[in-house]
Amino acid sequence: SMDTRTGRGRKNKQNDVRRDIAVDVREFRSALPSALHAGGMRLAPVTLVVGDFVLSNVHCIERKSISDLFGSFASGRLYTQAEAMCKHYKCPCLLIEFDPSKTFALQHTLDVEIKQDAVCSKMALLVMHFPKLRLLWSKGPHETVKLFKALKQNHEEVDVDRAVEVGTSDSVEGLLGQQGDEEEEEEINEVARDMLLRLPGVNVHNARKILKECDCLADLATKSREELKKMAGPETGQKLFTFFRQRLG
């Protein structure tokens, strides 16, 4: 359409702005969704199995604050997340979002010695293992809004339903694939297993260990703190223990 009021018949590009973003509901605890909304983005709050933000059908974003980044490296969770994004999306991105009130640096400027356990060394190993993975650096939520707008500019809007489905059947199949050699044929509760994978900290790897020890979700919910930590690891075990005992109101 032509709008003669905008100057000599130039095209009105307002409708061409890409605004839709699928956002994992757990991300609403951070400041970024509010900044995106204030920046004119339309947010679809959903439960995502892969990624935290899906900008288009090719862009998937896993957002990490600095504390999250260190914790994810320590638990090995970041490796699993990067693997899933690279499998399902053409342009998987790891967004490292800094606190605007703190120094824009991963480690102290005087700490220049290369160490195996240094965060920069771990970052290097991560991108070497996943060459498809792109790194995004942001000084804070408002800078991230600018990044997201730039990434969306030349791509179609995200298919929210597809973003929700990505990784769901894959996770269940990966989990069920380890149970195929049993002599007796048993009824498989796929809904419960899919729900298991949505519990805090649970992924395909530690879910297999949980399945060996628990017959159902009710059995898992009655486990002690130490039993959960032994099954799923210290961090995930604590998350599960808190989740099952946290008051709803």
Side-chain angles (χ1 to χ4, degrees), residues 107 111-122 125:
Q107 59 189 43
D111 189 11
V112 294
E113 184 180 350
I114 298 175
K115 300 177 182 178
Q116 187 175 355
D117 61 345
V119 65
C120 289
S121 298
K122 292 178 180 179
L125 290 173

Side-chain angles (χ1 to χ4, degrees), residues 87-235:
K87 179 177 181 180
H88 293 286
Y89 287 95
K90 186 177 180 180
C91 188
C93 303
L94 172 62
L95 167 67
I96 301 172
E97 193 174 74
F98 289 76
D99 185 335
S101 64
K102 296 182 180 179
T103 306
F104 188 49
L106 274 178
Q107 59 189 43
H108 198 281
T109 53
L110 297 178
D111 189 11
V112 294
E113 184 180 350
I114 298 175
K115 300 177 182 178
Q116 187 175 355
D117 61 345
V119 65
C120 289
S121 298
K122 292 178 180 179
M123 291 288 294
L125 290 173
L126 182 71
V127 295
M128 285 172 65
H129 196 86
F130 299 105
K132 191 177 176 183
L133 185 67
R134 298 291 180 262
L135 299 182
L136 303 177
W137 307 86
S138 172
K139 290 185 177 181
H142 295 290
E143 293 298 321
T144 301
V145 174
K146 296 176 185 177
L147 274 174
F148 281 12
K149 285 183 176 181
L151 287 171
K152 286 180 62 64
Q153 192 170 9
N154 297 317
H155 295 274
E156 294 298 321
E157 291 286 24
V158 59
D159 183 336
V160 176
D161 292 334
R162 178 182 178 275
V164 171
E165 288 299 317
V166 166
T168 52
S169 60
D170 186 53
S171 296
V172 174
E173 287 169 8
L175 199 54
L176 298 179
Q178 299 296 313
Q179 309 294 323
D181 296 330
E182 296 182 4
E183 294 180 2
E184 295 183 6
E185 192 172 322
E186 299 180 358
E187 184 179 353
I188 296 172
N189 188 344
E190 292 190 22
V191 175
R193 296 193 181 194
D194 188 35
M195 188 177 295
L196 172 64
L197 289 166
R198 294 174 184 270
L199 293 177
V202 177
N203 55 44
V204 172
H205 302 294
N206 56 30
R208 290 172 185 154
K209 297 178 183 178
I210 293 172
L211 284 175
K212 291 179 181 178
E213 302 291 335
C214 302
D215 294 326
C216 61
L217 290 175
D219 186 18
L220 177 63
T222 60
K223 297 293 184 184
S224 68
R225 189 198 310 265
E226 292 307 315
E227 287 175 320
L228 289 171
K229 287 184 176 183
K230 186 176 180 181
M231 277 191 293
E235 184 179 351

